[in-house]
Amino acid sequence: MEDRIRLFVGCDPNDCDLEQMMVLEYSARKHCSLPIDIEWMRLSRDPSSFWHAEPEHGLGWRTETWATPFSGFRWGVPAFCGYQGRAIYLDTDMIVLCDLAGLWRMPFGPGKVLAGKGRKNSWRFCVTVWDCAAARAQLPPVERLRAEPDSHQRMMRHFAGHPGLIEPLHSDYNNIDGEEKPAEAIRILHYSDMGTQFSHKYAFPRLAQEGRRHWFDGQVLPHPRADLAALFDRYYQDALAAGYDLDRYRAPQLFGDTMKASQRDYAGNRRTRRRSFWSRIGLRGAAG
């Protein structure tokens, strides 16, 4: 096993996620016993970039069906690594509260390609550990991943339909919005609901001052877990005190308009929204 962790983080190409990026890096390095090399995966107009896209001409990564500007990048990680060694993928909206060496060194059973959270036909890959060599036989060529707008959804269905390829990940490595657990029981907190993310109170005013808008176009609401919001604030301030700053995460060049699915009707999840709302959604679905 390599003695340096290769960490891939999906993030926005227009500096909307700077606060999240800073907190994620600071928290990951704070707790880790191994050195970490981070690849910030964001759309680029540089033709030499692995993450290159020109949406106006249909070139590079086709993102128009993605919920975020980086949703499908996780499937490109093994190709980026030359189909060698291991890699960890994380969404950027996470606080790492454990030593990532445990995740990096987790055992894989025979025939396993990646580790993810879930069971049966329901899986999440917002935290993923890749066996990059084993993944080669299960992934299309990266040129196809880039060129086909539905490749993210197809790969989600592929692995969900072949659970024997997945090494189950301990649930606490991808804790979704608290999951009714105390903060000290969480290994990686994924503040997943795009409408209640702790970083919005910092990012939205900053972007307004810069004359830009956030990529999330849905309704912004308070997170129901005040203790987790306070945890984010503490890590944010601790990162600044440790010498981190937002400018180190800015893209070399802003990408400009991205093509992605609108989140204006985004409904969040049952951990962050009122159950009555979800009950109404279920009743409408049953009626339709």
Side-chain angles (χ1 to χ4, degrees), residues 45-288:
R45 293 192 179 272
D46 180 356
S48 67
S49 171
F50 191 88
W51 316 111
H52 168 254
E54 294 181 38
E56 303 86 354
H57 304 105
L59 299 176
W61 290 90
R62 299 285 301 274
T63 65
E64 53 260 46
T65 66
W66 297 2
T68 74
F70 52 83
S71 298
F73 281 165
R74 69 202 71 191
W75 313 110
V77 168
F80 186 99
C81 295
Y83 300 102
Q84 296 180 352
R86 279 200 176 189
I88 296 175
Y89 167 82
L90 301 179
D91 288 350
T92 191
D93 51 346
M94 297 190 176
I95 308 175
V96 180
L97 301 168
C98 66
D99 187 344
L100 285 178
L103 197 60
W104 182 246
R105 292 168 171 158
M106 67 175 290
F108 272 32
K112 306 299 184 182
V113 171
L114 75 170
K117 174 177 177 170
R119 59 188 178 83
K120 297 183 179 179
N121 294 322
S122 176
W123 294 92
R124 287 179 175 267
F125 300 111
C126 24
V127 175
T128 305
V129 185
W130 283 104
D131 180 332
C132 296
R136 187 167 203 159
Q138 297 298 326
L139 294 171
V142 70
E143 293 79 13
R144 278 186 55 197
L145 286 173
R146 290 188 180 114
E148 298 178 354
D150 66 342
S151 61
H152 174 53
Q153 292 85 349
R154 284 194 300 102
M155 297 317 303
M156 290 289 292
R157 291 193 298 269
H158 171 73
F159 284 103
H162 297 83
L165 300 172
I166 306 169
E167 184 68 47
L169 196 62
H170 192 292
S171 178
D172 290 340
Y173 278 123
N174 186 8
N175 177 290
I176 308 299
D177 286 301
E179 297 184 6
E180 300 181 0
K181 290 193 173 185
E184 56 270 20
I186 299 171
R187 302 184 192 185
I188 298 178
L189 173 63
H190 185 188
Y191 45 105
S192 173
D193 183 332
M194 289 183 281
T196 66
Q197 291 185 340
F198 312 124
S199 52
H200 286 339
K201 74 174 186 180
Y202 301 101
F204 277 61
R206 172 180 59 78
L207 291 165
Q209 289 181 350
E210 297 172 2
R212 294 181 292 113
R213 299 181 67 181
H214 199 276
W215 60 263
F216 177 68
D217 58 354
Q219 184 181 14
V220 174
L221 300 167
H223 197 283
R225 289 282 299 269
D227 61 324
L228 300 182
L231 181 70
F232 180 92
D233 290 342
R234 177 163 62 84
Y235 271 81
Y236 178 85
Q237 296 300 331
D238 287 351
L240 293 174
Y244 289 71
D245 64 83
L246 299 183
D247 286 342
R248 77 161 70 180
Y249 301 100
R250 292 188 182 273
Q253 179 182 4
L254 296 181
F255 185 81
D257 292 340
T258 59
M259 295 183 66
K260 56 176 289 297
S262 172
Q263 300 301 306
R264 284 189 293 271
D265 296 325
Y266 180 70
N269 63 58
R270 290 175 173 82
R271 297 184 185 94
T272 53
R273 311 295 176 104
R274 293 176 305 175
R275 297 192 179 200
S276 60
F277 172 84
W278 278 92
S279 297
R280 292 197 302 273
I281 292 292
L283 287 171
R284 286 205 301 268

